[in-house]
Amino acid sequence: MPQTSPDFIFMLTNQDRTVADAAERLKDVLAAGITHVGFKDIGLPFDELLGLASAIKKAGATLYLEVVSLDEESERRSAQAAVDLGVDILMGGTRPNVVLPVIAGKNIQYYPFPGKIVGHPSKLEGTIETIVQSARQLTAIDGVTGLDLLAYRFNGDVEAMMTRVCEAVEKPVVVAGSIDSPERMAAVVRSGAAGFTIGTAAFNGAFSGSSNLRLEIEKEINVLMRIQADAGDIALSPLTAG
C-alpha cells in the first residue's frame, strides 16, 4: 500500500476536555507550524470557545470540533455549536440522523465515530468486523464526509483494525486518541489514514519529555518526517497537510 502524508491535527485537549489555557497554548501550536487545529465542546464556556475558534480561523488554520456527546440531545447541541463556531470539520458523535439536519447547508464536513463508543474518556468496543461494518454503513450516508476512528481506544489488534477500516471505505479516516509514541504514529501512517489527532500526549510531553509545548510539537513533526522518510516519502513535507 502506498504511504500517505496524513494531516497532523492538533487538539487543544487533555483527557477529552479542552484545556483551560487553550487560547495561550494556541500560540505555541501555531508557532510550531501546525495548520489543522481543534478542540472539544466541553472544558471551556462557549464564549471562550468562540474566541478560540476565531483565533484559529484568523490564523488561516483548518478548524475542527470533536464532540463528546453521550445522548441524543447533547449531540444535537454539539452539532449546533459546530454551526455557531463556524468549524470546518465536525468530528465524533454517533448519530448522523441527529447531526446532519443541523449542519445541512453549512459547509461543514462531518466525520462521525464508527463502532460502539462507550463512556468518557471514550472507548471503542466491538470486533474488527463490527467496526468495519459500521464504517461502511456510515460512509454510505450522504453528508458523512469521513470517519473519526478511536483506534487506540480499542482493545484488540489496533493496526489491523485501522488498516481494515481505511481499506474498507472510500472516504478519509482520521485516527484519534492516544497516539503517544513514534511506534503508534508510524502505525497510523502505514494504515493509510488521512489524518491523526494529538492532544493529551503532547500536553504530557510524550515525545520530547518536555513541558514546552512548542518543543513537543516540533519533536512530533520531526518524528513524522522521519517515518515518512523511512517509508520512502522523502519528497513529502511534514506539513503537507498539517
Side-chain angles (χ1 to χ4, degrees):
M1 180 189 302
Q3 300 297 319
T4 59
S5 180
D7 296 346
F8 182 162
I9 304 159
F10 191 88
M11 298 296 288
L12 291 159
T13 58
N14 197 345
Q15 298 299 322
D16 282 0
R17 298 175 67 86
T18 299
V19 296
D21 58 347
E24 194 62 31
R25 296 299 197 132
L26 175 62
K27 298 173 185 175
D28 287 329
V29 175
L30 296 172
I34 294 292
T35 59
H36 293 251
V37 186
F39 49 81
K40 300 286 175 80
D41 58 345
I42 61 171
L44 283 179
F46 190 73
D47 62 334
E48 291 188 38
L49 292 181
L50 276 171
L52 189 58
S54 176
I56 292 168
K57 298 281 276 188
K58 187 176 180 181
T62 302
L63 172 61
Y64 297 72
L65 176 69
E66 189 170 44
V67 304
V68 182
S69 305
L70 300 180
D71 60 79
E72 184 171 323
E73 185 49 41
S74 63
E75 192 153 340
R76 183 178 287 107
R77 286 197 301 268
S78 296
Q80 186 58 51
V83 173
D84 296 340
L85 291 165
V87 306
D88 297 301
I89 300 178
L90 172 61
M91 297 175 63
T94 57
R95 300 174 179 87
N97 60 311
V98 171
V99 170
L100 287 171
V102 178
I103 66 171
K106 303 298 183 183
N107 200 30
I108 296 173
Q109 295 185 53
Y110 174 44
Y111 289 52
F113 293 131
K116 182 181 178 184
I117 308 301
V118 178
H120 181 260
S122 304
K123 299 289 184 187
L124 174 58
E125 294 188 350
T127 65
I128 292 177
E129 293 303 329
T130 62
I131 295 166
V132 168
Q133 182 181 15
S134 170
R136 287 190 174 119
Q137 290 170 343
L138 284 170
T139 54
I141 298 170
D142 189 30
V144 171
T145 325
L147 297 173
D148 184 6
L149 181 63
L150 291 174
Y152 284 101
R153 307 284 180 87
F154 171 65
N155 185 21
D157 186 336
V158 173
E159 186 164 1
M161 186 269 290
M162 285 192 293
T163 302
R164 286 280 306 280
V165 170
C166 290
E167 289 175 344
V169 301
E170 296 295 321
K171 294 178 180 178
V173 177
V174 169
V175 175
S178 306
I179 298 169
D180 56 9
S181 68
E183 292 75 23
R184 289 186 172 187
M185 187 184 283
V188 169
V189 172
R190 284 194 299 270
S191 76
F196 62 90
T197 69
I198 291 183
T200 300
F203 288 108
N204 291 340
F207 285 74
S208 68
S210 171
S211 60
N212 181 318
L213 185 60
R214 180 174 176 178
L215 184 70
E216 167 71 12
I217 295 170
E218 288 172 347
K219 175 68 172 179
E220 292 164 4
I221 291 169
N222 286 337
V223 169
L224 181 58
M225 283 180 70
R226 191 172 68 247
I227 290 165
Q228 292 170 331
D230 289 347
D233 281 345
I234 52 175
L236 289 173
S237 159
L239 294 177
T240 14

